[in-house]
Amino acid sequence: MRIILSPSTQEAADTVAMMVLDKIESHPQSVLGLATGRTMEPVYKSMVDTMTKKPMHLEKCFFFMLDEYLGLPENHASSFKSYIEFHLVKPLNLHHDQFAFPPVHTSNLELAAENYERCLREAGGVDLQLLGIGTNGHIGFNEPGSLGDSRTRRILLTEETRLANKTQFKEGEMPREALSMGIGSILDAKSLIMLASGRSKADAIKYLMNHHDDPKCPATYLKSHPHFTLVLDPDAASKINLNI
Ligand code: GLP
């Protein structure tokens, strides 16, 4: 695991954005796995700002979204599909056919999840997967208890996760379930970058630093990946001792 300790939240986001853009520049046909959440907003903004100054060709890239809520109407303003439309698709003029979204609007979720896994394989796998982390150590929506070999599937959200995300929804609208790439699906990516920012992530980061392959904190599975980079802002790193 490589750890990058950034002097500010903005610089942490800029570092991640730069790593993504470097990947695309060196490998224009990159397959990128995208995460959502407040943590990623400055990353996408930084990418958009950089590309406004220095346009890049993204038309050969393909993007897989990590997860999506279940039970929301299509194009709901708080869906992750709407999130990425707003933060990346529209500002960068990307095409919808460059994206794969977890297929949540179907009656057979099990089959749809298998198809998503097949799409990932047929695309040759994800080259670079972006990840945030939940306050309880979840990645994507792999809640505590998820196993290291789990694949794309339906997941019941914990109360902690529902509480953390309920500000994005009107009263009573917060979904109870999601479809998420599994930990095994995430680990198949050739490289992983996790960004954690803010004090609310400090405990999860401390736990991550001290444990391995622990289903209580799904992010700990990432440490076995040969190309895992963890980027931290000062608050997220405030409970760990890096001795640097
Ligand atoms: C969300 C997403 C994750 C994200 C995490 C943290 O629920 N499923 O992909 O990394 O929780 O979100 P935030 O960055 O808003 O704290």
Side-chain angles (χ1 to χ4, degrees), residues 36-39 66-67 80 132-134 138 140-141 165 201:
T36 56
R38 284 146 289 198
T39 311
L66 185 59
D67 50 7
F80 290 158
I133 184 169
H138 76 228
F141 269 132
N165 290 324
K201 306 296 169 68

Side-chain angles (χ1 to χ4, degrees), residues 19 23 56 71-72 74 78 104 140 145-146 155 174 198 206 239:
M19 289 163 93
K23 180 82 203 172
M56 280 176 69
L72 292 177
E74 250 185 301
S78 303
V104 290
S146 299
I155 292 172
M174 175 69 211
K206 183 178 176 191
K239 294 191 178 173

